[in-house]
């Protein structure tokens, strides 16, 4: 046995996803495959992304490709964007540039937790929280979202908190449900965490995982818990909105409500701890491109059309689906209740969805709307046909 205990646990908790990732890519490489699985791009990169990268590729100084930490211009662009979006006075020094949201989450764990601490995670939720927690020697504690609506269930979070809890992870817009939570949810959570922190004699943090923040439908507003609870760190990634998860860029941002002394302590740790976790800063080109990338976005009108097409056709076929308010995912209940059987029957026809078993939710399935409209239109009749005898 060469693997460490934490690597063994991390691997076990995400093995099913890792295997699916390899298997489905082998299958979806076929030109006739209809791939609705991961949130990957299905068309060539957005012109704004390639233009921003091209503009930075030629070195403009001898240190162009020297070691980079969090570049000033990138942090300024992020702070300006956050101020406009969230209406809170973020400062550039509240920002640590990271390798996507993955990097920011990892940085937050190192800044805020010690080995053996517990971290509360939403269920259903993104399948990488657990392996990341195990790899960081932390213990995931699941708190279910509200049955059926997938609203934030603040009471469930309260019940999940123990004397070892250090962080509560929240995710809005939420993967896989597409739900966006209102400010009232954050105010209620803030009250619970304030009381629990007092009771247990240490501060419990919120890590607000917001990589889908700019992907919202029907003009629905967005509130971050950073506006309700001072001890909130936001993690963000540009990968979703610019449909390029292979180019790593993101950040961790502290709530401007946090007291000056705590902010100063954390700010001073961004660089040394970013280094300590394996030089977790984005590549030079991505940092130089960050100001231009702030405004690059997938076509939200087209994404709304895809959401409406898929949601409309599935509900017409009496398949129970949650209408996404954000993200590019659609979360549904498998006809007949066995998501794996439903997904296998579709795979036999060359249509690939993600079974909820990857989220430990064997009755549900997830569809990614990053596929082209043509793929969606070709996949839909198959989904409806397979569902009919099962439903
Ligand atoms: C909820 C959630 N958080 C974080 C991430 C990580 O994002 P990135 O790969 O851009 O770092 C993802 C990616 O799928 C996600 O769905």
């Amino acid at each position: 046995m060469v693997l460490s205990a934490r690597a063994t646990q991390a691997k076990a908790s995400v093995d099913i996803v890792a295997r699916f990732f390899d298997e489905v890519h082998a299958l979806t490489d076929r030109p006739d495959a209809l791939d609705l699985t991961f949130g990957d791009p299905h068309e060539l990169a957005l012109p704004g992304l390639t233009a921003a990268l091209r503009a930075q590729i030629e070195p403009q100084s001898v240190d162009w490709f020297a070691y980079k930490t969090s570049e000033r211009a990138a942090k300024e662009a992020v702070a300006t964007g956050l101020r406009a979006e969230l209406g809170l006075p973020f400062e550039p020094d509240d920002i640590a540039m990271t390798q996507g949201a993955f990097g920011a989450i990892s940085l937050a764990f190192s800044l805020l937790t010690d080995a053996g601490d517990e971290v509360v995670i939403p269920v259903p939720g993104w399948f990488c929280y657990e392996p990341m927690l195990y790899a960081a020697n932390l213990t995931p504690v699941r708190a279910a979202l509200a049955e059926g609506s997938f609203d934030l269930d603040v009471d469930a979070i309260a019940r999940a908190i123990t004397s070892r809890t250090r962080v509560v992870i929240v995710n809005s817009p939420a993967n896989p449900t597409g739900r966006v939570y209102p400010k009232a949810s954050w105010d209620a959570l803030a009250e619970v965490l304030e009381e629990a922190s007092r009771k247990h004699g240490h501060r419990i943090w919120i890590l607000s995982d917001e990589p889908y923040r700019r992907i919202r439908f029907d003009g629905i507003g967005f509130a971050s818990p950073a506006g309700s609870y001072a001890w909130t760190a936001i993690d963000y990634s540009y990968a979703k909105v610019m449909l390029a998860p292979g180019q790593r860029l993101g950040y961790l941002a502290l709530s401007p409500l946090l007291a000056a002394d705590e902010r100063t302590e954390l700010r001073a740790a961004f660089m040394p701890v970013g280094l300590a976790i394996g030089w977790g800063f984005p590549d030079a080109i991505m940092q130089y491109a960050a100001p231009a990338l702030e405004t690059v976005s997938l076509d939200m009108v087209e994404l709304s059309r895809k959401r409406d097409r898929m949601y409309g056709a599935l509900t017409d076929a009496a398949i129970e689906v949650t209408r996404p308010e954000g993200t590019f995912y659609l979360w549904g209940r498998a006809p007949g209740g066995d998501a794996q059987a439903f997904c296998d029957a579709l795979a036999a026809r060359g249509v690939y969805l993600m079974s909820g078993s990857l989220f430990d939710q064997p009755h549900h399935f997830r569809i990614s709307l990053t596929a082209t409209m043509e793929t969606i239109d070709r996949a839909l009749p198959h989904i409806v046909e397979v569902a009919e005898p099962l439903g």
Side-chain angles (χ1 to χ4, degrees):
M1 190 73 179
V2 291
L3 272 187
S4 64
R6 63 184 165 145
T8 305
Q9 264 185 317
K11 176 176 178 295
S13 78
V14 78
D15 236 4
I16 180 171
V17 179
R19 273 187 282 117
F20 182 74
F21 187 85
D22 286 342
E23 282 164 20
V24 93
H25 279 102
L27 293 165
T28 53
D29 278 350
R30 292 198 332 250
D32 56 337
L34 302 172
D35 177 12
L36 303 166
T37 57
F38 290 95
D40 268 321
H42 288 244
E43 288 162 291
L44 286 179
L46 297 174
L49 166 61
T50 37
L53 298 183
R54 200 174 289 124
Q56 304 299 337
I57 191 74
E58 283 300 331
Q60 294 169 29
S61 63
V62 291
D63 64 355
W64 200 246
F65 297 123
Y67 278 111
K68 300 292 161 187
T69 60
S70 288
E71 288 289 284
R72 184 82 202 164
K75 294 198 298 181
E76 279 171 1
V78 169
T80 305
L82 276 172
R83 278 199 295 269
E85 264 181 285
L86 302 184
L88 295 166
F90 286 89
E91 292 174 19
D93 287 340
D94 294 325
I95 317 296
M97 301 305 296
T98 61
Q99 297 258 352
F102 266 108
I105 292 169
S106 174
L107 177 62
F109 291 166
S110 288
L111 289 167
L112 302 173
T113 65
D114 287 305
D117 284 346
E118 292 177 358
V119 173
V120 176
I121 57 171
V123 174
W126 186 43
F127 36 64
C128 292
Y129 298 132
E130 286 198 1
M132 290 184 78
L133 288 165
Y134 286 127
N137 264 322
L138 297 164
T139 304
V141 177
R142 297 171 170 203
L145 298 166
E147 176 91 31
S149 68
F150 305 109
D151 279 332
L152 195 74
D153 185 342
V154 174
D155 292 337
I157 294 174
R159 285 193 300 275
I161 290 173
T162 74
S163 60
R164 288 165 64 203
T165 308
R166 279 288 168 174
V167 176
V168 173
I169 298 181
V170 294
N171 173 222
S172 173
N175 175 10
T177 66
R179 291 298 319 277
V180 174
Y181 309 128
K183 184 172 184 302
S185 296
W186 306 134
D187 290 345
L189 180 60
E191 232 173 85
V192 162
L193 296 186
E194 194 59 59
E195 193 190 314
S197 299
R198 208 175 309 120
K199 176 174 161 197
H200 296 299
H202 62 247
R203 182 50 63 182
I204 300 173
W205 278 76
I206 293 177
L207 178 58
S208 185
D209 185 23
E210 303 181 6
Y212 301 96
R213 193 176 63 227
R214 292 173 175 170
I215 307 178
R216 306 193 310 274
F217 301 112
D218 311 321
I220 189 173
F222 179 82
S224 170
S228 297
Y229 188 67
W231 295 270
T232 299
I234 294 172
D235 70 83
Y236 184 77
S237 170
Y238 290 80
K240 310 298 177 187
V241 75
M242 66 183 195
L243 276 177
Q247 288 298 129
R248 313 293 304 154
L249 183 69
Y251 58 80
L252 188 72
L254 302 175
S255 167
L257 305 182
L258 190 65
D261 56 335
E262 289 175 295
R263 252 162 109 177
T264 305
E265 191 182 335
L266 281 161
R267 285 173 171 190
F270 281 165
M271 190 285 181
V273 176
L275 167 164
I277 61 173
W279 206 266
F281 310 100
D283 291 350
I285 299 276
M286 292 310 287
Q287 300 219 41
Y288 304 145
L293 296 177
E294 262 291 301
T295 52
V296 173
S297 172
L298 53 77
D299 182 343
M300 278 306 299
V301 174
E302 178 66 3
L303 185 64
S304 302
R305 284 182 56 229
K306 291 193 224 170
R307 189 236 7 206
D308 290 345
R309 180 79 54 94
M310 188 59 91
Y311 177 78
L314 296 188
T315 24
D316 284 351
I319 302 173
E320 196 183 313
V321 273
T322 302
R323 188 160 187 268
E325 298 165 306
T327 76
F328 36 56
Y329 304 118
L330 202 135
W331 183 243
R333 179 170 270 279
D338 182 344
Q340 197 57 57
F342 180 56
C343 292
D344 287 349
L346 281 165
R349 293 167 174 242
V351 179
Y352 301 94
L353 319 184
M354 199 178 262
S355 165
S357 41
L358 274 70
F359 297 82
D360 233 352
Q361 304 287 307
H363 308 306
H364 285 80
F365 64 88
R366 191 190 79 176
I367 283 175
S368 171
L369 299 169
T370 56
T372 61
M373 189 65 103
E374 196 209 331
T375 297
I376 289 172
D377 279 340
R378 284 172 55 208
L380 266 171
H382 290 288
I383 299 176
V384 171
E385 271 175 43
V386 167
E388 208 173 38
L390 296 169

